[in-house]
Amino acid sequence: MIEKIYRALFCLEDLREILRETAPEHRLSDEQRERFGSILNEIKMILGDKRSDAKIKYVVDEIELRTREEEFINIAPIQAAGRLTAEARKALIAYGDGYSTCDYCFKPFRIDYIKRPPINEFIDELAEFVGMDAARVVRGARNGFQIVSNALLEKGDIVLVSSLAHYSLCLAIESVGAIWKEVPLSEDNIITGENTGTKIEEVKEETGKLPKLVAISHFDYLLGNEHDVYGIAKICREYEIPFLYNGAYTVGVIPVDGKRIRADFVVGSGHKSMASPAPTGVLATTEEFVDTVFATTKLKGDVTGRKFGIKEHYLLGCTVMGAPLVAMMASFPKVKERVKHWDEEVDKSNFFIAQFLKIKGNRVSSEMPRKHTLTKVDTTESFDRIAKTHKRRGYFLYDELSKRKITGIFPGATKEFKLNTYGLNWYQIKYLGEAFNRIAEEYGVGVED
Ligand SMILES: *Cc1c(COP(=O)(O)O)cnc(C)c1O
């Protein structure tokens, strides 16, 4: 079915291509009209033929069609909440041309001032959405870290990160010559305000200065545990150290109120959690830091005297443009709505985990009960035992899941792996739980009723 839909879609693009070949006065030539007609017929044939077996595998050359969201239940940890809405996919088709968002860009020539499509309103709404004063769309959460690092840090400055911090945050800090140090986890694998305070004191003692920034994710990417961002922000306030709230796994799925948290920066990821294409993300801040991170250009050319208006230099002027930006905007109404239903996502996550834990030997490495849809599970005492004697070794689990049209776990992993149930409906959740149970039963692992 999906291949048929792709075939028809591609034909429609070929029709569009013909329009792009015409000159306004000439309309379609005979040859073009003929080609148009034959493509139209092909579409009718594709859609009309119930048995249609003419399959296609490639977009072009070696670029395969991507069909896993249509053909599988995808529980890939990083992909679940970045799946596009239908609206976003339509926007991609319509705004795919390079600098498409520049059609109606007038003075002062900045992407966040464009009114058609209403990018300006979107940027304002984004700030409100995360409870901050000002926001910009950036090229992924990592670009948000990079912008803040550039604006705030000098060589040798110290930044506190979580012991579960994402590599991209550490690299952003390193890239400006600053140093990251880790706040240790509590016994429950949580970053607390207390541990953050202790680490601040340690750094002060060792180096004689305070960290320049504390950057901690609300939910980490390794366990999907919730960290005490309120407590951390409070400690940061006391020491007057700016706090960056990393919402890569929250902004776009959970309501986030940066001001209530008392964060100085909120960073989110469009392609991870806002149903947006890559590379997209959000960087938001308060009045206090607007002029620092969104600083405008001051220099002028020594030969020409040229200046670049109000371009923001840490952002390199315009950030995300064209199709990714418009698709992010197109998804936004649904994203705003879906954060209100986070509780149900957590319910489904816990429902699945309860099913999963019926399998003898299965454990959960993340905190319990689950507060997120991203979970790390431990199957050392169940599936890994089977892997030891299976001819496909660890791949057997991946194979068995694939057979049941489930994808997204790391091929070969049978000890510990992550999965994300975000966005699956109840029917799919139950199917997923049953699939794991059936696999366990087939290999003689006990399953509770
Ligand atoms: C995924 C992730 C990032 C990186 O996000 P991008 O938008 O791809 O740059 C950063 N931090 C955490 C905690 C993440 O999970």
Side-chain angles (χ1 to χ4, degrees), residues 78 139-143 145 164-166 168-169 217 219-221 246 248-249 268-272 280-281:
I78 59 174
R139 309 145 182 109
R142 66 196 70 203
N143 183 221
F145 309 146
L164 301 172
H166 193 262
S168 64
L169 171 63
S217 46
F219 283 86
D220 68 85
Y221 78 105
N246 181 358
Y249 267 110
S269 172
H271 45 266
K272 187 173 273 149
T280 50

Side-chain angles (χ1 to χ4, degrees), residues 42-241:
E42 195 179 340
I43 296 171
K44 284 184 204 152
M45 190 272 293
I46 295 165
L47 296 178
D49 180 2
K50 290 212 175 59
R51 307 172 285 107
S52 168
D53 51 357
K55 290 199 169 174
I56 53 166
K57 282 253 170 295
Y58 297 92
V59 178
V60 66
D61 293 338
E62 291 173 9
I63 304 177
E64 279 179 81
L65 292 179
R66 185 169 185 271
T67 58
R68 73 173 55 197
E69 302 297 352
E70 290 81 11
E71 294 192 301
F72 290 83
I73 287 179
N74 184 7
I75 53 173
I78 59 174
Q79 292 182 331
R83 261 193 296 263
L84 299 186
T85 58
E87 292 77 8
R89 293 199 299 279
K90 291 172 193 172
L92 284 184
I93 296 172
Y95 278 85
D97 294 304
Y99 284 111
S100 61
T101 41
C102 305
D103 292 344
Y104 301 97
C105 180
F106 310 113
K107 264 191 163 169
F109 303 119
R110 226 171 68 183
I111 190 119
D112 54 318
Y113 282 73
I114 292 173
K115 292 199 180 88
R116 192 172 159 191
I119 298 168
N120 60 340
E121 284 171 25
F122 173 59
I123 306 283
D124 290 344
E125 279 187 47
L126 263 185
E128 194 184 312
F129 180 63
V130 294
M132 300 294 271
D133 296 324
R136 297 288 184 272
V137 174
V138 293
R139 309 145 182 109
R142 66 196 70 203
N143 183 221
F145 309 146
Q146 191 179 37
I147 290 165
V148 174
S149 296
N150 270 305
L152 259 59
L153 307 177
E154 309 275 346
K155 239 187 172 54
D157 281 345
I158 292 163
V159 180
L160 294 193
V161 304
S162 158
S163 287
L164 301 172
H166 193 262
Y167 78 90
S168 64
L169 171 63
C170 301
L171 298 192
I173 295 162
E174 186 175 356
S175 76
V176 299
I179 297 157
W180 48 273
K181 288 188 177 284
E182 297 168 313
V183 178
L185 294 165
S186 73
E187 272 174 25
D188 311 326
N189 291 329
I190 301 295
I191 302 287
T192 61
E194 196 186 334
N195 280 3
T196 308
T198 310
K199 189 73 183 193
I200 292 172
E201 282 297 330
E202 267 176 43
V203 167
K204 198 171 134 191
E205 194 133 310
E206 265 176 43
T207 66
K209 54 184 189 180
L210 290 173
K212 270 280 179 63
L213 178 71
V214 173
I216 308 278
S217 46
H218 189 177
F219 283 86
D220 68 85
Y221 78 105
L222 282 167
L223 296 166
N225 285 356
E226 182 173 23
H227 304 283
D228 181 18
V229 286
Y230 287 90
I232 296 161
K234 188 159 170 278
I235 289 285
C236 290
R237 261 305 122 134
E238 286 169 18
Y239 284 93
E240 293 181 17
I241 302 169

Side-chain angles (χ1 to χ4, degrees), residues 264-313:
D264 298 286
F265 306 99
V266 169
V267 171
S269 172
H271 45 266
K272 187 173 273 149
S273 296
M274 300 177 77
S276 303
T280 50
V282 191
L283 168 61
T285 189
T286 58
E287 284 299 344
E288 189 187 345
F289 285 98
V290 165
D291 295 338
T292 310
V293 284
F294 304 145
T296 52
T297 169
K298 306 272 179 320
L299 299 184
K300 65 176 184 186
D302 61 332
V303 174
T304 60
R306 290 183 311 149
K307 294 197 285 192
F308 300 113
I310 58 164
K311 302 265 194 233
E312 295 165 334
H313 59 78

Side-chain angles (χ1 to χ4, degrees), residues 391-409:
K391 63 178 187 303
R392 289 275 294 151
R393 294 282 159 174
Y395 289 92
F396 95 91
L397 182 59
Y398 183 82
D399 294 345
E400 290 291 347
L401 289 170
S402 301
K403 242 189 336 199
R404 292 166 172 84
K405 293 290 173 193
I406 293 164
T407 192
I409 75 158

